[in-house]
Amino acid sequence: MTITVSDYFMGRDKTYASELTDAIKANAAETVRRWNILLYAAADEGVFPTKDATTHTFVGSGWRPAGVNSATANAAAHSTHMTGEALDTRDDPKGRALARWVLLLPPDRLQAFGLWFERPQWTPSWVHGQTRPPKSGNRFYVPSTAAALVPALPGEPQP
């Protein structure tokens, strides 16, 4: 159930090689490392992401070069995906097992993963985790001024 750096790059390391810097490569390796620690902990408790229908991996969105990011619906103009600091894993939209598991983690355990998460109301079929804290500093944060896409999950922090 490991995510590889190759999974993370989604082939874009070849098709957009001119945009891939050493800093992005280092960020990507660290993002994948932290996500794998989280996913192994979840698996130990019987919680698993789902595979993406396009990539056939657990990565729904990894590194996004500028052109890919600008063509991605609802993507922030300066998304942490562009710097290799964010990863989206697929999560079953019906049960939201991974999102529910992350939401219910004790704060100290959650902090140990070194990831910050978009609130599940804005990510209805994936879990977005990033290695760089958002401006708010909140472990779970609202990613945009757009309205939430789905109702809050139990335990989801409210503004």
Side-chain angles (χ1 to χ4, degrees):
M1 181 176 86
T2 301
I3 292 173
T4 66
V5 173
S6 179
D7 295 340
Y8 179 78
F9 282 127
M10 304 170 66
R12 295 172 181 154
D13 53 331
K14 293 170 184 53
T15 54
Y16 294 89
S18 65
E19 294 183 49
L20 184 59
T21 65
D22 288 341
I24 292 170
K25 290 177 188 176
N27 289 343
E30 180 61 16
T31 298
V32 168
R33 185 188 74 77
R34 292 184 196 186
W35 262 101
N36 280 327
I37 292 169
L38 179 133
L39 292 175
Y40 279 113
D44 284 346
E45 296 181 30
V47 177
F48 303 91
T50 57
K51 287 203 174 179
D52 183 83
T54 302
T55 67
H56 307 289
T57 71
F58 299 116
V59 177
S61 187
W63 177 53
R64 291 187 203 145
V68 172
N69 193 68
S70 65
T72 301
N74 302 313
H78 300 287
S79 171
T80 48
H81 285 276
M82 296 173 68
T83 56
E85 296 172 288
L87 186 148
D88 296 343
T89 58
R90 288 291 169 213
D91 195 24
D92 176 25
K94 293 181 183 174
R96 299 304 315 270
L98 185 60
R100 290 173 186 271
W101 181 81
V102 170
L103 280 170
L104 297 176
L105 287 172
D108 59 332
R109 189 167 179 215
L110 191 59
Q111 183 177 349
F113 293 118
L115 293 168
W116 287 261
F117 302 90
E118 290 180 353
R119 290 209 6 231
Q121 280 186 274
W122 279 262
T123 60
S125 62
W126 68 95
V127 175
H128 169 96
Q130 62 187 49
T131 58
R132 184 188 337 148
K135 289 180 184 173
S136 69
N138 295 332
R139 193 62 61 180
F140 293 96
Y141 66 96
V142 174
S144 74
T145 57
L149 301 172
V150 294
L153 292 173
E156 188 168 341
Q158 296 301 304

